[in-house]
Amino acid sequence: MATLSSAFLFIFSCFLACSISVSGRPTTFLEDFRITWSDSHIKQIDGGRAIQLILDQNSGCGFASKRQYLFGRVSMKIKLIPGDSAGTVTAFYMNSDTDTVRDELDFEFLGNRTGQPYTVQTNIYAHGKGDREQRVNLWFDPAADFHTYTIMWNHHHIVFYVDEVPIRVYKNNEAKNIPYPKFQPMGVYSTLWEADDWATRGGLEKIDWSKAPFLAYYKDFDIEGCPVPGPANCASNPRNWWEGTAYQALNAMEARRYRWVRMNHMIYDYCTDKSRYPVTPPECMAGI
């Protein structure tokens, strides 16, 4: 009996180890991604486990996932441009790549003058409608080290995380006739480019090309979701871990952190911008 029990425990522990290793493992860049813009400005580091993005006066650059996904979680560790990065934008986002009825989930990191806080702008397009910008000043120096940026997308809500801190929540309020992205798969994208007509202080701060090249670093690429094309019933499967009870709403700790961010670090919210929206958008009234 002891021998059988030991054998069972060994097999069970192996099964757990195998399950964990398959799910959520960071990959090398070329396993899941391809360069989409200016391959001379993206350099692989550490055997492809990390990459460097370069912006200079000749070009910016970009990359995209090889596949699209319908629901799941996407995360990357990013170290942003140090020093004077005014006029630059480093973006990490999901996009349906459809011309008319676009779905998109955006992280955009807006460059700054040396000594000023880095601002991250989030935006959500659902069924072709965007203009849902929120801006948060990061409470740390994101150029000093890598930090994890995550998009969680399930049937219940979309959550943007900085490390373990939720900075944006967009709930599924379809019952109130508010659009929610759930029909179109999205690819994962990232770009580094010059946008000094709007990126820093509304375009007042221009890019200083004497500081070029501007460098951003990425590693620990992690995509867990339903690939499209793929199993037809994957996206609707309630047993997907990201659809589980623990991920259907913020837990108590996350809710406290979310309130802290909104109270102390949010600097712009389209919901309260009466010059743009004299009538409050319906999703803001419903709770987002």
Side-chain angles (χ1 to χ4, degrees):
M1 179 67 75
T3 303
L4 286 175
S5 298
S6 300
F8 173 79
L9 288 172
F10 175 77
I11 293 169
F12 183 66
S13 63
C14 286
F15 170 77
L16 284 179
C18 292
S19 298
I20 292 168
S21 68
V22 170
S23 174
R25 82 278 182 261
T27 66
T28 60
F29 175 69
L30 289 179
E31 282 185 68
D32 285 337
F33 294 95
R34 57 187 174 84
I35 296 172
T36 55
W37 172 29
S38 190
D39 56 1
S40 63
H41 284 61
I42 295 181
K43 295 183 178 179
Q44 295 188 58
I45 302 169
D46 190 23
R49 286 184 286 273
I51 57 171
Q52 177 193 70
L53 273 62
I54 303 168
L55 168 65
D56 58 26
Q57 284 184 283
N58 295 316
S59 183
C61 56
F63 64 88
S65 59
K66 294 177 179 178
R67 306 180 77 174
Q68 291 186 312
Y69 301 86
L70 189 55
F71 300 113
R73 184 185 68 183
V74 179
S75 70
M76 296 182 189
K77 290 184 179 177
I78 306 174
K79 183 162 69 170
L80 295 171
I81 300 166
D84 188 341
S85 58
T88 69
V89 175
T90 308
F92 161 42
Y93 60 103
M94 300 185 72
N95 188 304
S96 61
D97 198 24
T98 45
D99 293 331
T100 53
V101 185
R102 174 169 47 136
D103 291 334
E104 185 170 308
L105 312 173
D106 295 338
F107 270 115
E108 292 178 310
F109 304 96
L110 311 182
N112 63 347
R113 288 289 179 222
T114 303
Q116 297 300 310
Y118 242 104
T119 298
V120 56
Q121 174 172 284
T122 58
N123 198 359
I124 294 169
Y125 283 77
H127 302 188
K129 172 68 172 68
D131 299 326
R132 296 182 173 97
E133 298 92 346
Q134 292 182 356
R135 291 185 178 185
V136 168
N137 280 343
L138 293 175
W139 50 95
F140 54 86
D141 180 359
D145 204 350
F146 286 93
H147 290 267
T148 304
Y149 303 94
T150 302
I151 299 171
M152 168 68 79
W153 172 32
N154 61 30
H155 282 82
H156 303 275
H157 61 186
I158 296 160
V159 186
F160 294 79
Y161 290 91
V162 174
D163 294 323
E164 300 299 319
V165 179
I167 66 165
R168 175 85 182 260
V169 178
Y170 185 85
K171 296 178 182 177
N172 184 344
N173 280 306
E174 285 185 307
K176 300 178 181 179
N177 295 317
I178 295 168
Y180 187 81
K182 71 173 190 180
F183 298 111
Q184 300 187 105
M186 291 191 260
V188 183
Y189 297 83
S190 186
T191 51
L192 172 58
W193 82 99
E194 174 265 319
D196 70 0
D197 57 331
W198 67 271
T200 307
R201 294 184 60 215
L204 295 176
E205 302 283 359
K206 301 300 182 183
I207 197 165
D208 182 356
W209 288 114
S210 71
K211 302 294 195 301
F214 300 99
L215 308 176
Y217 296 86
Y218 290 63
K219 68 177 183 178
D220 290 0
F221 312 97
D222 188 6
I223 302 175
E224 299 177 70
C226 291
V228 178
N233 62 347
C234 178
S236 61
N237 187 349
R239 290 188 296 274
N240 290 326
W241 71 260
W242 52 85
E243 300 288 356
T245 304
Y247 304 99
Q248 294 177 11
L250 300 184
N251 62 38
M253 176 63 76
E254 289 176 330
R256 286 195 294 272
R257 290 172 172 172
Y258 183 49
R259 288 193 297 270
W260 174 79
V261 168
R262 294 181 69 84
M263 291 178 60
N264 296 287
H265 297 283
M266 176 172 282
I267 60 171
Y268 177 80
D269 183 0
Y270 78 104
C271 287
T272 58
D273 189 341
K274 294 301 181 182
S275 63
R276 288 179 67 193
Y277 297 102
V279 177
T280 302
E283 67 269 19
C284 302
M285 300 294 288
I288 53 174

